[in-house]
Amino acid sequence: MFASWDECLAHVKETFESDDSSSIHARLRLEAGPAMVWNGKSTADPEYTVVHIASPIAPADKADLLHLAAASEDLPLGALRIMNETVHLHQALPFAGLEPERLDQAIRLAVTEAHALMREI
């Protein structure tokens, strides 16, 4: 398990190729597409710290959001979020007890799902 966000971020940067990173996030390049990883408070419950994972799908003004939402229902994550005028596949994992393998799998899954949804556009 990760003891701190710094330890978690170091693991992410060592495991994946990072285009741009800072002390608070990493922008990653995977074979299927890009991803961003950062930490913050849960939007569902601000008492909890979570690790956010997002992979871009398309500009929000060019995407048929109803079609994307319907297509995402068949995927394990299927959580869409609009950030900076771009539709992303998004996942938030509780930081407490987060294992490196779980984080790695979640990053890969988010990018794979985003890539699948890009083909729906």
PDB file of all heavy atoms in Angstrom, residues 85-105:
ATOM      1  N   GLU A  85     -13.629  21.433 -21.102  1.00  0.00           N
ATOM      2  CA  GLU A  85     -14.344  21.316 -22.369  1.00  0.00           C
ATOM      3  C   GLU A  85     -14.015  20.044 -23.143  1.00  0.00           C
ATOM      4  O   GLU A  85     -14.178  19.979 -24.360  1.00  0.00           O
ATOM      5  CB  GLU A  85     -14.102  22.560 -23.238  1.00  0.00           C
ATOM      6  CG  GLU A  85     -14.571  23.834 -22.557  1.00  0.00           C
ATOM      7  CD  GLU A  85     -14.280  25.084 -23.365  1.00  0.00           C
ATOM      8  OE1 GLU A  85     -13.944  24.971 -24.557  1.00  0.00           O
ATOM      9  OE2 GLU A  85     -14.396  26.170 -22.797  1.00  0.00           O
ATOM     10  N   THR A  86     -13.548  19.013 -22.429  1.00  0.00           N
ATOM     11  CA  THR A  86     -13.242  17.719 -23.032  1.00  0.00           C
ATOM     12  C   THR A  86     -13.927  16.622 -22.227  1.00  0.00           C
ATOM     13  O   THR A  86     -13.906  16.641 -21.000  1.00  0.00           O
ATOM     14  CB  THR A  86     -11.715  17.470 -23.041  1.00  0.00           C
ATOM     15  OG1 THR A  86     -11.084  18.531 -23.747  1.00  0.00           O
ATOM     16  CG2 THR A  86     -11.366  16.149 -23.696  1.00  0.00           C
ATOM     17  N   VAL A  87     -14.515  15.656 -22.937  1.00  0.00           N
ATOM     18  CA  VAL A  87     -15.121  14.497 -22.284  1.00  0.00           C
ATOM     19  C   VAL A  87     -13.999  13.520 -21.951  1.00  0.00           C
ATOM     20  O   VAL A  87     -13.173  13.184 -22.803  1.00  0.00           O
ATOM     21  CB  VAL A  87     -16.159  13.808 -23.195  1.00  0.00           C
ATOM     22  CG1 VAL A  87     -16.777  12.602 -22.483  1.00  0.00           C
ATOM     23  CG2 VAL A  87     -17.229  14.784 -23.648  1.00  0.00           C
ATOM     24  N   HIS A  88     -13.963  13.079 -20.705  1.00  0.00           N
ATOM     25  CA  HIS A  88     -12.967  12.109 -20.235  1.00  0.00           C
ATOM     26  C   HIS A  88     -13.665  10.891 -19.657  1.00  0.00           C
ATOM     27  O   HIS A  88     -14.765  10.992 -19.129  1.00  0.00           O
ATOM     28  CB  HIS A  88     -12.112  12.706 -19.102  1.00  0.00           C
ATOM     29  CG  HIS A  88     -11.195  13.792 -19.516  1.00  0.00           C
ATOM     30  ND1 HIS A  88     -11.617  15.078 -19.756  1.00  0.00           N
ATOM     31  CD2 HIS A  88      -9.860  13.793 -19.716  1.00  0.00           C
ATOM     32  CE1 HIS A  88     -10.582  15.831 -20.088  1.00  0.00           C
ATOM     33  NE2 HIS A  88      -9.497  15.070 -20.071  1.00  0.00           N
ATOM     34  N   LEU A  89     -12.979   9.761 -19.742  1.00  0.00           N
ATOM     35  CA  LEU A  89     -13.354   8.600 -18.947  1.00  0.00           C
ATOM     36  C   LEU A  89     -12.706   8.859 -17.589  1.00  0.00           C
ATOM     37  O   LEU A  89     -11.517   9.162 -17.520  1.00  0.00           O
ATOM     38  CB  LEU A  89     -12.800   7.331 -19.607  1.00  0.00           C
ATOM     39  CG  LEU A  89     -13.317   5.985 -19.110  1.00  0.00           C
ATOM     40  CD1 LEU A  89     -12.897   5.636 -17.736  1.00  0.00           C
ATOM     41  CD2 LEU A  89     -14.776   5.809 -19.364  1.00  0.00           C
ATOM     42  N   HIS A  90     -13.434   8.781 -16.513  1.00  0.00           N
ATOM     43  CA  HIS A  90     -12.916   9.177 -15.199  1.00  0.00           C
ATOM     44  C   HIS A  90     -13.166   8.087 -14.164  1.00  0.00           C
ATOM     45  O   HIS A  90     -14.191   7.422 -14.175  1.00  0.00           O
ATOM     46  CB  HIS A  90     -13.598  10.477 -14.754  1.00  0.00           C
ATOM     47  CG  HIS A  90     -13.179  10.931 -13.401  1.00  0.00           C
ATOM     48  ND1 HIS A  90     -13.896  10.629 -12.271  1.00  0.00           N
ATOM     49  CD2 HIS A  90     -12.111  11.659 -12.989  1.00  0.00           C
ATOM     50  CE1 HIS A  90     -13.291  11.159 -11.217  1.00  0.00           C
ATOM     51  NE2 HIS A  90     -12.206  11.783 -11.622  1.00  0.00           N
ATOM     52  N   GLN A  91     -12.203   7.943 -13.279  1.00  0.00           N
ATOM     53  CA  GLN A  91     -12.339   7.024 -12.153  1.00  0.00           C
ATOM     54  C   GLN A  91     -11.647   7.647 -10.943  1.00  0.00           C
ATOM     55  O   GLN A  91     -10.624   8.313 -11.087  1.00  0.00           O
ATOM     56  CB  GLN A  91     -11.685   5.678 -12.473  1.00  0.00           C
ATOM     57  CG  GLN A  91     -11.804   4.697 -11.345  1.00  0.00           C
ATOM     58  CD  GLN A  91     -11.220   3.331 -11.657  1.00  0.00           C
ATOM     59  OE1 GLN A  91     -11.570   2.393 -10.992  1.00  0.00           O
ATOM     60  NE2 GLN A  91     -10.347   3.197 -12.607  1.00  0.00           N
ATOM     61  N   ALA A  92     -12.203   7.430  -9.766  1.00  0.00           N
ATOM     62  CA  ALA A  92     -11.584   7.881  -8.527  1.00  0.00           C
ATOM     63  C   ALA A  92     -11.458   6.687  -7.589  1.00  0.00           C
ATOM     64  O   ALA A  92     -12.430   5.986  -7.339  1.00  0.00           O
ATOM     65  CB  ALA A  92     -12.411   8.984  -7.874  1.00  0.00           C
ATOM     66  N   LEU A  93     -10.233   6.458  -7.106  1.00  0.00           N
ATOM     67  CA  LEU A  93      -9.973   5.345  -6.193  1.00  0.00           C
ATOM     68  C   LEU A  93      -9.671   5.879  -4.802  1.00  0.00           C
ATOM     69  O   LEU A  93      -8.901   6.839  -4.667  1.00  0.00           O
ATOM     70  CB  LEU A  93      -8.755   4.543  -6.671  1.00  0.00           C
ATOM     71  CG  LEU A  93      -8.829   3.939  -8.062  1.00  0.00           C
ATOM     72  CD1 LEU A  93      -7.489   3.338  -8.433  1.00  0.00           C
ATOM     73  CD2 LEU A  93      -9.918   2.893  -8.119  1.00  0.00           C
ATOM     74  N   PRO A  94     -10.227   5.276  -3.759  1.00  0.00           N
ATOM     75  CA  PRO A  94      -9.882   5.707  -2.400  1.00  0.00           C
ATOM     76  C   PRO A  94      -8.382   5.541  -2.171  1.00  0.00           C
ATOM     77  O   PRO A  94      -7.814   4.497  -2.510  1.00  0.00           O
ATOM     78  CB  PRO A  94     -10.674   4.762  -1.503  1.00  0.00           C
ATOM     79  CG  PRO A  94     -11.694   4.130  -2.378  1.00  0.00           C
ATOM     80  CD  PRO A  94     -11.169   4.172  -3.770  1.00  0.00           C
ATOM     81  N   PHE A  95      -7.744   6.564  -1.639  1.00  0.00           N
ATOM     82  CA  PHE A  95      -6.300   6.490  -1.418  1.00  0.00           C
ATOM     83  C   PHE A  95      -5.963   5.528  -0.281  1.00  0.00           C
ATOM     84  O   PHE A  95      -4.968   4.808  -0.342  1.00  0.00           O
ATOM     85  CB  PHE A  95      -5.722   7.873  -1.123  1.00  0.00           C
ATOM     86  CG  PHE A  95      -4.229   7.862  -1.013  1.00  0.00           C
ATOM     87  CD1 PHE A  95      -3.437   7.759  -2.139  1.00  0.00           C
ATOM     88  CD2 PHE A  95      -3.609   7.908   0.226  1.00  0.00           C
ATOM     89  CE1 PHE A  95      -2.064   7.712  -2.043  1.00  0.00           C
ATOM     90  CE2 PHE A  95      -2.240   7.871   0.335  1.00  0.00           C
ATOM     91  CZ  PHE A  95      -1.454   7.771  -0.802  1.00  0.00           C
ATOM     92  N   ALA A  96      -6.804   5.504   0.729  1.00  0.00           N
ATOM     93  CA  ALA A  96      -6.544   4.625   1.880  1.00  0.00           C
ATOM     94  C   ALA A  96      -6.530   3.169   1.429  1.00  0.00           C
ATOM     95  O   ALA A  96      -7.492   2.676   0.857  1.00  0.00           O
ATOM     96  CB  ALA A  96      -7.604   4.835   2.960  1.00  0.00           C
ATOM     97  N   GLY A  97      -5.421   2.492   1.646  1.00  0.00           N
ATOM     98  CA  GLY A  97      -5.310   1.084   1.303  1.00  0.00           C
ATOM     99  C   GLY A  97      -5.069   0.795  -0.164  1.00  0.00           C
ATOM    100  O   GLY A  97      -5.182  -0.349  -0.590  1.00  0.00           O
ATOM    101  N   LEU A  98      -4.740   1.820  -0.956  1.00  0.00           N
ATOM    102  CA  LEU A  98      -4.544   1.617  -2.391  1.00  0.00           C
ATOM    103  C   LEU A  98      -3.255   0.852  -2.668  1.00  0.00           C
ATOM    104  O   LEU A  98      -2.177   1.261  -2.270  1.00  0.00           O
ATOM    105  CB  LEU A  98      -4.520   2.968  -3.112  1.00  0.00           C
ATOM    106  CG  LEU A  98      -4.397   2.935  -4.628  1.00  0.00           C
ATOM    107  CD1 LEU A  98      -5.539   2.138  -5.252  1.00  0.00           C
ATOM    108  CD2 LEU A  98      -4.379   4.358  -5.177  1.00  0.00           C
ATOM    109  N   GLU A  99      -3.391  -0.267  -3.348  1.00  0.00           N
ATOM    110  CA  GLU A  99      -2.255  -1.116  -3.718  1.00  0.00           C
ATOM    111  C   GLU A  99      -1.724  -0.694  -5.086  1.00  0.00           C
ATOM    112  O   GLU A  99      -2.519  -0.322  -5.967  1.00  0.00           O
ATOM    113  CB  GLU A  99      -2.688  -2.581  -3.786  1.00  0.00           C
ATOM    114  CG  GLU A  99      -3.182  -3.152  -2.479  1.00  0.00           C
ATOM    115  CD  GLU A  99      -2.052  -3.544  -1.539  1.00  0.00           C
ATOM    116  OE1 GLU A  99      -0.891  -3.560  -1.986  1.00  0.00           O
ATOM    117  OE2 GLU A  99      -2.334  -3.821  -0.368  1.00  0.00           O
ATOM    118  N   PRO A 100      -0.422  -0.783  -5.316  1.00  0.00           N
ATOM    119  CA  PRO A 100       0.151  -0.398  -6.618  1.00  0.00           C
ATOM    120  C   PRO A 100      -0.472  -1.146  -7.794  1.00  0.00           C
ATOM    121  O   PRO A 100      -0.759  -0.547  -8.831  1.00  0.00           O
ATOM    122  CB  PRO A 100       1.634  -0.745  -6.474  1.00  0.00           C
ATOM    123  CG  PRO A 100       1.896  -0.685  -5.010  1.00  0.00           C
ATOM    124  CD  PRO A 100       0.625  -1.138  -4.352  1.00  0.00           C
ATOM    125  N   GLU A 101      -0.710  -2.443  -7.639  1.00  0.00           N
ATOM    126  CA  GLU A 101      -1.280  -3.225  -8.737  1.00  0.00           C
ATOM    127  C   GLU A 101      -2.670  -2.739  -9.104  1.00  0.00           C
ATOM    128  O   GLU A 101      -3.039  -2.691 -10.273  1.00  0.00           O
ATOM    129  CB  GLU A 101      -1.343  -4.721  -8.371  1.00  0.00           C
ATOM    130  CG  GLU A 101       0.006  -5.352  -8.135  1.00  0.00           C
ATOM    131  CD  GLU A 101       0.559  -5.084  -6.731  1.00  0.00           C
ATOM    132  OE1 GLU A 101      -0.214  -4.689  -5.813  1.00  0.00           O
ATOM    133  OE2 GLU A 101       1.780  -5.231  -6.557  1.00  0.00           O
ATOM    134  N   ARG A 102      -3.453  -2.389  -8.102  1.00  0.00           N
ATOM    135  CA  ARG A 102      -4.819  -1.888  -8.336  1.00  0.00           C
ATOM    136  C   ARG A 102      -4.774  -0.573  -9.102  1.00  0.00           C
ATOM    137  O   ARG A 102      -5.539  -0.362 -10.037  1.00  0.00           O
ATOM    138  CB  ARG A 102      -5.534  -1.711  -6.990  1.00  0.00           C
ATOM    139  CG  ARG A 102      -6.877  -1.022  -7.085  1.00  0.00           C
ATOM    140  CD  ARG A 102      -7.957  -1.969  -7.619  1.00  0.00           C
ATOM    141  NE  ARG A 102      -9.241  -1.335  -7.539  1.00  0.00           N
ATOM    142  CZ  ARG A 102      -9.869  -0.787  -8.585  1.00  0.00           C
ATOM    143  NH1 ARG A 102      -9.335  -0.818  -9.769  1.00  0.00           N
ATOM    144  NH2 ARG A 102     -11.048  -0.221  -8.436  1.00  0.00           N
ATOM    145  N   LEU A 103      -3.866   0.310  -8.718  1.00  0.00           N
ATOM    146  CA  LEU A 103      -3.723   1.593  -9.408  1.00  0.00           C
ATOM    147  C   LEU A 103      -3.289   1.368 -10.855  1.00  0.00           C
ATOM    148  O   LEU A 103      -3.866   1.959 -11.776  1.00  0.00           O
ATOM    149  CB  LEU A 103      -2.724   2.489  -8.677  1.00  0.00           C
ATOM    150  CG  LEU A 103      -2.442   3.841  -9.334  1.00  0.00           C
ATOM    151  CD1 LEU A 103      -3.709   4.674  -9.442  1.00  0.00           C
ATOM    152  CD2 LEU A 103      -1.373   4.583  -8.557  1.00  0.00           C
ATOM    153  N   ASP A 104      -2.301   0.519 -11.064  1.00  0.00           N
ATOM    154  CA  ASP A 104      -1.819   0.236 -12.423  1.00  0.00           C
ATOM    155  C   ASP A 104      -2.943  -0.295 -13.305  1.00  0.00           C
ATOM    156  O   ASP A 104      -3.124   0.146 -14.443  1.00  0.00           O
ATOM    157  CB  ASP A 104      -0.682  -0.782 -12.391  1.00  0.00           C
ATOM    158  CG  ASP A 104       0.558  -0.280 -11.678  1.00  0.00           C
ATOM    159  OD1 ASP A 104       0.636   0.925 -11.359  1.00  0.00           O
ATOM    160  OD2 ASP A 104       1.454  -1.104 -11.423  1.00  0.00           O
ATOM    161  N   GLN A 105      -3.717  -1.238 -12.780  1.00  0.00           N
ATOM    162  CA  GLN A 105      -4.825  -1.814 -13.546  1.00  0.00           C
ATOM    163  C   GLN A 105      -5.891  -0.762 -13.853  1.00  0.00           C
ATOM    164  O   GLN A 105      -6.447  -0.733 -14.956  1.00  0.00           O
ATOM    165  CB  GLN A 105      -5.450  -2.971 -12.775  1.00  0.00           C
ATOM    166  CG  GLN A 105      -4.551  -4.174 -12.664  1.00  0.00           C
ATOM    167  CD  GLN A 105      -5.066  -5.186 -11.649  1.00  0.00           C
ATOM    168  OE1 GLN A 105      -6.031  -4.930 -10.919  1.00  0.00           O
ATOM    169  NE2 GLN A 105      -4.412  -6.336 -11.588  1.00  0.00           N
TER     170      GLN A 105
END
